[in-house]
Amino acid sequence: MSRNVIGWLQAAPLAAVLGCFLAAPIVMIVIVSFWGATEYSIYPAFQFDNYEFLFGSAVTYKVFLATFKYAAITWALTLTIGFTVAYFLAFHVRSLQTQIALFLLCTIPFWTSNIIRMISWIPFLGRNGIANQTLIDWGLIDEPLEWLLYSDFSVILAFVHLYTLFMVVPIFNTMMRIDKNLLEAARDAGASGWQTVWHVVLPLTKPGIMIGTIFVVTLVMGDFITVRFMSGSQRANVGRLISNDIGLLQYPSAAATAVVLLLTVLMVIGILLRFVNIRKEL
């Protein structure tokens, strides 16, 4: 038996799993996106009504813009926090045991449900919550801040809380592979701490940053429950559009929106992969 045949046989189980649980559902969603729907029924067809309605509505562009806004702000904040945490763990903590302990400490909140961690912010940020009461007691404000909860601020805060670890892990993994002699060589050459980070650490950490970016951006763009709870149903993103259509049993419309969202995410990932070759990291 030739090596090519053996290779195909070895890849067949994984290909079958990916085909059944990844490719087949996507194909079904694409097919359903061309179907028609009335108030009482769904009927198979091949028409572009769902896409025409989607792209012909000003709400669609507004919601997509809000989705990109959430993704961009969350990415910037998680990158800043993730890079800082990973840099501290990789280069300022000398003991391997301490590194592992601190890294596990970062993962403790992720041992609970995303929903529990998300809604835990509600009593903290509420009008009579801990944050407002503390600020009033300190004399910093005279009345509760209304924008702490059920606003873009609370949505982005929850996103950062939920997804920062997805930025920390790949960046930390990449930094741990950097030869420490390079940092010493930079210092010997007269580089300051910021120059070392900018010209040595950051370029060598690009694969981890890109992997973390892909994780964070795709998760934020596909999320809908966080926007619903943390905005008090006053904000919307593409995920909420899909969720609302499903709730109204408008599956073809939901499928069309899902296809557009999938293509948008794939284009974003394609653009990101143009900047760095992450195969070396994988």
Side-chain angles (χ1 to χ4, degrees):
M1 186 176 295
S2 66
R3 291 185 177 181
N4 290 335
V5 175
I6 295 176
W8 280 107
L9 291 177
Q10 291 175 339
L14 179 59
V17 171
L18 292 177
C20 292
F21 298 103
L22 178 63
I26 293 176
V27 171
M28 292 174 62
I29 291 174
V30 173
I31 293 174
V32 173
S33 69
F34 293 101
W35 287 11
T38 64
E39 295 181 357
Y40 309 103
S41 64
I42 299 173
Y43 55 91
F46 184 78
Q47 57 189 22
F48 295 92
D49 292 356
N50 299 312
Y51 291 98
E52 290 176 357
F53 176 79
L54 187 64
F55 289 108
S57 174
V59 175
T60 301
Y61 299 98
K62 182 178 180 180
V63 170
F64 266 90
L65 182 62
T67 303
F68 282 115
K69 179 185 68 175
Y70 288 143
I73 297 176
T74 303
W75 168 80
L77 294 175
T78 55
L79 176 59
T80 302
I81 298 172
F83 188 91
T84 304
V85 172
Y87 184 85
F88 174 78
L89 292 177
F91 299 115
H92 289 275
V93 179
R94 303 299 181 183
S95 172
L96 179 61
Q97 289 75 14
T98 306
Q99 284 181 339
I100 295 174
L102 292 176
F103 186 79
L104 291 177
L105 183 64
C106 294
T107 66
I108 288 177
F110 290 81
W111 296 356
T112 60
S113 168
N114 278 7
I115 296 179
I116 294 176
R117 288 187 288 123
M118 174 182 57
I119 63 177
S120 64
W121 285 104
I122 295 179
F124 182 83
L125 299 174
R127 179 177 177 83
N128 297 316
I130 298 175
N132 273 318
Q133 290 301 319
T134 301
L135 294 174
I136 292 175
D137 292 340
W138 288 354
L140 299 178
I141 58 176
D142 297 325
E143 57 184 16
L145 300 175
E146 301 290 347
W147 53 265
L148 288 181
L149 186 62
Y150 302 142
S151 62
D152 287 340
F153 171 81
S154 59
V155 173
I156 293 172
L157 178 64
F159 277 144
V160 172
H161 178 208
L162 293 175
Y163 301 134
T164 296
L165 188 64
F166 292 94
M167 188 69 78
V168 173
V169 173
I171 295 178
F172 174 73
N173 182 53
T174 306
M175 286 183 176
M176 289 299 294
R177 300 182 184 183
I178 297 176
D179 189 351
K180 303 301 187 295
N181 292 327
L182 295 175
L183 305 184
E184 295 181 3
R187 285 192 291 267
D188 293 341
S192 64
W194 284 108
Q195 289 174 329
T196 302
V197 171
W198 184 260
H199 296 289
V200 179
V201 177
L202 187 60
L204 295 176
T205 315
K206 282 184 179 180
I209 292 175
M210 286 303 163
I211 293 174
T213 298
I214 291 173
F215 282 150
V216 171
V217 170
T218 54
L219 288 171
V220 171
M221 293 187 70
D223 190 293
F224 70 93
I225 196 70
T226 303
V227 177
R228 177 183 176 185
F229 283 163
M230 299 307 295
S231 71
S233 296
Q234 299 178 36
R235 302 292 190 274
N237 65 345
V238 181
R240 281 213 63 194
L241 282 184
I242 299 173
S243 176
N244 291 341
D245 284 338
I246 292 176
L248 296 173
L249 303 181
Q250 296 296 316
Y251 297 116
S253 178
T257 308
V259 170
V260 175
L261 177 61
L262 176 61
L263 293 177
T264 303
V265 172
L266 290 177
M267 286 190 294
V268 171
I269 294 175
I271 294 172
L272 293 175
L273 294 180
R274 300 280 295 181
F275 292 98
V276 65
N277 183 11
I278 65 172
R279 292 184 179 180
K280 296 180 180 179
E281 181 69 16
L282 299 176

